[in-house]
Amino acid sequence: MKEVLLLKCGEIVLKGLNRKKFEDRLLGNLKRRLKPLGDCTVSLRQSVIYVEIPETVDGDAVMEAVEKVFGIALICRAAVCEKTLEAMQETAETYLADHIARAQSFKVETKRGDKRFPMTSIQVSQHIGGELAQKYHLKPDMHHPELTIHFEIREQYAFVHAGPVQGAGGMPVGTNGRAALLLSGGIDSPVAGYMMCKRGLELIGIHFFSYPYTSDRAKEKVFELGHKLTAYCGKMPILVVPFTKIQEEIRDKCHEELFTLIMRRFMMRIAEQLAVQYECGGLITGESLGQVASQTMPAMAVTNAVCETLPVFRPVIGMDKEEIVQIARKIDTFETSILPYEDCCTVFTPKHPNTKPKMYKILEAEAALDVEGLVAEAVAGTERVMA
Ligand code: ATP
Ligand code: MG
């Protein structure tokens, strides 16, 4: 049976004059996401986006892909049929057979876009509703029906569906610019990336890699996480930063209790330079207040102080681990994130990290290092990989 998805845009309808730009971006994102699945046609008419699915294409796969596209509030998955009462009824009976079998009560709602159709919406609903009630012993209920059968009579065809499901929400990826996600192998940073992507950001990933202290398998894990995010954010380059020398320098020349904070300041400095190079307008991290010693308020003040030009977004800052895990499961990154490979943050971790660092102590410690030189060397040695 030929199917179509009817998509209602979310927040982009609020955008006034920018609306066209938002819609074009959303159509482009949809087309790109659907292309590998076959020849679907994507078009926009009167604020509704139509995805026509030819019978040769897997409708479930199309639905699954569209459910991950930001900027879409509601999705109706409908069957397409001739504009006759018989065809519409028969299509409802076969296409919605499972829904009809499960429901006790129902109602029919008809929208008549094509005013040349010889019956009114109410007449169509009453006629087909009456037939279905009798045939399947369904109780008509206009107020709280278990099932609503929708008929939409359009120019060329009629559509039959059982109502909308939620889309991914948010804004189309790319409509708010690009940001750099500091992507570790943990649970939090992929979730942080997903959340900002939902607000219309395109992503690049930055990963700090400390070979041989962290293994190639740890790096592969990060690529896998990046790849899983592409279902939401589209293609995403990952920049792999060589971080071993910096970590060894800190270990050799700074007091152990400051190790993590000084390391994090290096991460932010390097990330900011790379982000500017790649025309990003911000940085994203998976920090959550108080989760570890380097995420107390004073520790974050010290880390944040090195970011000179770009805002740092921390979308999971106020979330409990369990809430973050829930999203990680939903976006299918959780199982990859918990694979037990080491991260560069777990190499040389101090036994007693300083949770109330003093800025002057950090600056004193950093004076023993060639900060600029080390940053420049790491930036120059960075490799780019597509997730
Ligand atoms: P996650 O679960 O994302 O690893 P975390 O709770 O382990 O986070 P930290 O290890 O302190 O916390 O890292 C805080 C944030 O710093 C991470 O969410 C990530 O954005 C960034 N980060 C940490 N390690 C790396 C790394 N090796 N490469 C890139 N970014 C990193
Ligand atoms: Mg981590």
Side-chain angles (χ1 to χ4, degrees):
M1 191 172 296
K2 196 169 162 216
E3 288 189 294
V4 65
L5 303 184
L6 312 171
L7 314 179
K8 285 203 79 169
C9 305
E11 264 178 68
I12 68 171
V13 296
L14 304 175
K15 291 291 162 188
L17 289 175
N18 279 337
R19 178 170 168 163
K20 171 107 177 57
K21 190 183 100 190
F22 280 68
E23 286 174 342
D24 287 348
R25 180 62 84 129
L26 180 53
L27 289 177
N29 290 351
L30 270 168
K31 285 179 191 167
R32 217 168 312 115
R33 228 61 79 70
L34 294 177
K35 199 162 174 210
L37 302 177
D39 275 329
C40 295
T41 314
V42 181
S43 57
L44 173 78
R45 269 167 275 156
Q46 283 150 6
S47 306
V48 178
I49 296 175
Y50 294 78
V51 179
E52 292 168 57
I53 311 169
E55 279 174 87
T56 48
V57 171
D58 178 359
D60 289 345
V62 172
M63 185 71 185
E64 209 179 295
V66 170
E67 276 174 333
K68 295 182 174 135
V69 175
F70 293 124
I72 296 165
L74 296 172
I75 308 172
C76 288
R77 182 174 177 177
V80 182
C81 68
E82 294 299 321
K83 296 193 310 188
T84 64
L85 287 179
E86 297 73 31
M88 283 155 53
Q89 181 180 332
E90 199 186 307
T91 304
E93 288 178 46
T94 44
Y95 189 64
L96 304 179
D98 287 350
H99 289 86
I100 291 174
R102 277 198 305 268
Q104 308 274 335
S105 61
F106 87 125
K107 76 169 170 179
V108 175
E109 258 190 25
T110 307
K111 256 200 241 161
R112 193 176 56 129
D114 175 9
K115 300 296 177 204
R116 294 166 310 175
F117 193 78
M119 294 166 79
T120 65
S121 301
I122 293 175
Q123 285 170 332
V124 173
S125 297
Q126 281 177 342
H127 177 84
I128 302 182
E131 296 276 324
L132 293 176
Q134 210 173 34
K135 194 161 169 186
Y136 296 96
H137 309 291
L138 290 169
K139 187 161 86 56
D141 181 343
M142 295 307 116
H143 301 293
H144 305 289
E146 284 172 41
L147 169 66
T148 303
I149 297 178
H150 298 259
F151 294 112
E152 299 193 23
I153 303 169
R154 302 287 173 115
E155 289 299 308
Q156 279 185 305
Y157 297 105
F159 302 138
V160 183
H161 63 85
V165 296
Q166 294 282 333
M171 297 159 112
V173 169
T175 50
N176 269 329
R178 185 184 301 137
L181 167 67
L182 280 80
L183 184 60
S184 66
I187 297 169
D188 308 330
S189 46
V191 169
Y194 160 83
M195 289 174 72
M196 294 315 295
C197 203
K198 183 169 181 176
R199 297 310 301 164
L201 290 184
E202 203 175 278
L203 300 182
I204 66 166
I206 297 181
H207 179 65
F208 296 89
F209 183 57
S210 293
Y211 189 80
Y213 302 106
T214 61
S215 64
D216 277 331
R217 285 202 301 185
K219 187 158 75 174
E220 292 302 323
K221 173 182 166 181
V222 172
F223 294 159
E224 168 87 17
L225 288 172
H227 183 70
K228 291 199 161 178
L229 280 178
T230 61
Y232 297 91
C233 69
K235 65 177 181 344
M236 164 165 138
I238 295 185
L239 310 178
V240 180
V241 183
F243 207 48
T244 313
K245 184 166 169 193
I246 290 175
Q247 292 198 293
E248 287 176 343
E249 283 280 299
I250 306 173
R251 177 197 59 189
D252 294 346
K253 297 186 179 157
C254 302
H255 194 289
E256 189 198 325
E257 69 163 17
L258 300 178
F259 179 88
T260 309
L261 284 172
I262 294 177
M263 179 194 74
R264 293 200 57 75
R265 281 163 59 90
F266 270 97
M267 282 187 176
M268 300 311 274
R269 287 186 188 102
I270 295 168
E272 192 169 55
Q273 286 201 14
L274 290 170
V276 170
Q277 239 179 55
Y278 279 79
E279 297 176 342
C280 294
L283 299 175
I284 305 168
T285 77
E287 290 161 297
S288 163
L289 191 64
Q291 193 189 75
V292 288
S294 59
Q295 293 169 24
T296 62
M297 246 188 327
M300 285 173 61
V302 161
T303 316
N304 211 46
V306 296
C307 296
E308 289 171 355
T309 46
L310 300 183
V312 181
F313 301 123
R314 301 178 173 89
V316 305
I317 193 73
M319 290 170 75
D320 293 349
K321 195 76 186 182
E322 198 41 48
E323 294 171 302
I324 301 172
V325 164
Q326 253 182 35
I327 299 179
R329 287 189 195 280
K330 185 176 94 176
I331 63 173
D332 192 33
T333 52
F334 182 73
E335 295 299 328
T336 308
S337 289
I338 59 172
L339 292 173
Y341 308 135
E342 59 303 317
D343 176 59
C344 73
C345 286
T346 53
V347 185
F348 318 131
T349 317
K351 276 189 218 65
H352 303 289
N354 190 338
T355 55
K356 288 186 191 145
K358 295 274 182 300
M359 186 64 101
Y360 74 91
K361 283 202 170 172
I362 302 272
L363 295 175
E364 267 174 27
E366 282 180 354
L369 306 168
D370 171 18
V371 173
E372 251 177 62
L374 287 166
V375 168
E377 195 180 331
V379 169
T382 295
E383 284 176 47
R384 180 171 175 272
V385 182
M386 283 318 278

